[in-house]
Amino acid sequence: MGRCIVASSSSTLIPALFSRKPTSIHSFEPPIFSFPRSLIVNSQLFKNGVFRSLPSCRRALLSTRAVISEVPNQKQYSKIGAVSTGPVPADQLLGVIENAAKTGAQVIMDAVNKPRNITYKNGLADLVTETDKMSEAAILEVVRKNFPDHLILGEEGGLIGDSSSDYLWCIDPLDGTTNFAHCYPSFAVSIGVLFKGKPAAATVVEFVGGPKCWNTRTFTAAAGKGAFCNGEKIHASQTDKVEQSLLVTGFGYDHDDAWATNIELFKEFTDISRGVRRLGAAAVDMCHVALGIVEAYWEYRLKPWDMAAGVLIVEEAGGTVSCMDGAKFCVFDRSVLVSNGPLHDKLLERIGPATENLKGKGIDFSLWYKPENYHTEL
């Protein structure tokens, strides 16, 4: 593992690098320090800009301070994606998913500039529109035409189909309904297909732009095939410092202990990062991690249709997925943390203990829901 030493005068910090730590002991040789030639110092201590030794002298022209940093080996997290797409070839499955998602997206595009017919599910903040229902109906028509024997879990329509199927479609026909209702550009159609309980293929159609300039971009991924945006391969960022990261989180409708805990996490990470955003559409947030424009996203109390597509897209883009306590993730879990990978451990240093504290208060983190008789390999 590499080492570094920093030498400083009273006003200037000057880096000086050692080579890697040797694996065997050699005879001692005085270290060589390299400094900028522009540094004006006693010529007896320096020759041609290279520091040869540090003898004692009456005039202390330079003081040194050593700072050694070690980067621990990053923990390896379990892959959450399926090994394959099963008997249905990846290209065929992804083709149908993409067609279904774009069909639902067209319903939304046709409605995006029209008046909304808004009703409420569970409280004044949990909206549903006629467009949600129309989008899901259009998606279901495509899915059932191509795979009549597959099991489907839709946000609006619930569970339909054959529970003995190895395939489970998790459909959010309009992720970010409140944003859609306000014409705020952070909403999407999200479809993730599980094979024996694990994400196998996914598509998210994100609406971008805004009033008078609406457009879409399409994220896709299949197990072991990589992640793509509008057909071009994408990769999560390589940022490895929290202080250089842009983060995203979300908050549920219930203002309970989990909500309060995440408010505190929001404050903490706002203080130590470049910022924390709250956009209001989980699938979009995760796709932004995969695209490399933000470094991480986390949230409590999501549902399978919120996560099934986004988590696979992140993983296939080189990112990391876990629960918020660091445990292995599945789409039926009640929390998720996705990151670019290099930041995952550092984020869990704060998010993990906060989540364990919630468990200590009796907050339920068991699997949210798994269809009865649905076979999984979790």
Side-chain angles (χ1 to χ4, degrees), residues 58-348:
R58 292 181 181 178
R59 254 178 225 181
L61 298 177
L62 187 67
S63 64
T64 62
R65 177 183 55 177
V67 180
I68 298 177
S69 77
E70 305 234 6
V71 180
N73 293 327
Q74 186 177 328
K75 177 182 175 181
Q76 295 299 309
Y77 294 88
S78 299
K79 293 290 186 180
I80 57 93
V83 175
S84 73
T85 57
V88 181
D91 289 346
Q92 180 186 352
L93 185 60
L94 198 54
V96 175
I97 298 172
E98 190 170 350
N99 182 26
K102 288 183 175 180
T103 300
Q106 187 58 55
V107 171
I108 296 170
M109 186 64 81
D110 292 342
V112 74
N113 290 316
K114 296 177 182 178
R116 315 289 196 254
N117 182 9
I118 299 171
T119 54
Y120 301 90
K121 294 181 182 178
N122 301 301
L124 294 178
D126 192 1
L127 311 183
V128 63
T129 68
E130 284 301 316
T131 305
D132 292 72
K133 299 173 184 177
M134 291 171 61
S135 173
E136 184 163 310
I139 292 168
L140 290 178
E141 184 176 351
V142 175
V143 177
R144 300 189 79 174
K145 178 180 178 181
N146 287 274
F147 299 111
D149 57 337
H150 285 192
L151 186 62
I152 300 170
L153 178 63
E155 179 177 13
E156 308 308 330
L159 191 66
I160 58 174
D162 184 359
S163 62
S164 66
S165 173
D166 286 333
Y167 293 93
L168 174 62
W169 290 63
C170 299
I171 299 171
D172 193 336
L174 209 176
D175 182 31
T177 298
T178 300
N179 290 338
F180 167 77
H182 289 266
C183 279
Y184 184 84
S186 186
F187 52 90
V189 175
S190 176
I191 303 176
V193 178
L194 312 185
F195 177 64
K196 295 184 177 180
K198 295 183 177 181
T203 294
V204 172
V205 179
E206 177 192 6
F207 282 73
V208 297
K212 314 303 180 185
C213 62
W214 289 109
N215 207 335
T216 63
R217 58 184 173 192
T218 302
F219 296 86
T220 59
K225 303 294 185 180
F228 299 82
C229 178
N230 291 344
E232 296 185 16
K233 196 161 189 178
I234 57 176
H235 201 284
S237 82
Q238 294 302 302
T239 300
D240 61 357
K241 294 180 175 61
V242 175
E243 60 268 26
Q244 295 177 0
S245 66
L246 183 62
L247 309 172
V248 186
T249 189
F251 299 92
Y253 300 113
D254 296 328
H255 291 195
D256 55 7
D257 284 342
W259 182 90
T261 294
N262 203 28
I263 287 288
E264 292 304 314
L265 288 171
F266 184 97
K267 293 177 183 177
E268 288 183 39
F269 282 109
T270 296
D271 286 341
I272 62 174
S273 69
R274 287 179 175 170
V276 183
R277 303 290 182 255
R278 193 275 177 128
L279 302 179
V284 172
D285 296 338
M286 287 187 266
C287 285
H288 289 181
V289 175
L291 192 58
I293 59 176
V294 298
E295 276 64 52
Y297 161 79
W298 69 88
E299 188 166 351
Y300 295 112
R301 305 289 176 78
L302 293 174
K303 303 296 192 296
W305 51 76
D306 296 312
M307 302 183 287
V311 292
L312 181 64
I313 292 169
V314 169
E315 184 167 277
E316 288 296 324
T320 299
V321 182
S322 76
C323 293
M324 287 175 64
D325 60 357
K328 183 178 180 179
F329 171 87
C330 81
V331 298
F332 306 111
D333 274 308
R334 296 176 187 250
S335 73
V336 67
L337 166 63
V338 302
S339 79
N340 64 346
L343 280 182
H344 211 83
D345 288 348
K346 296 175 183 179
L347 297 171
L348 279 172

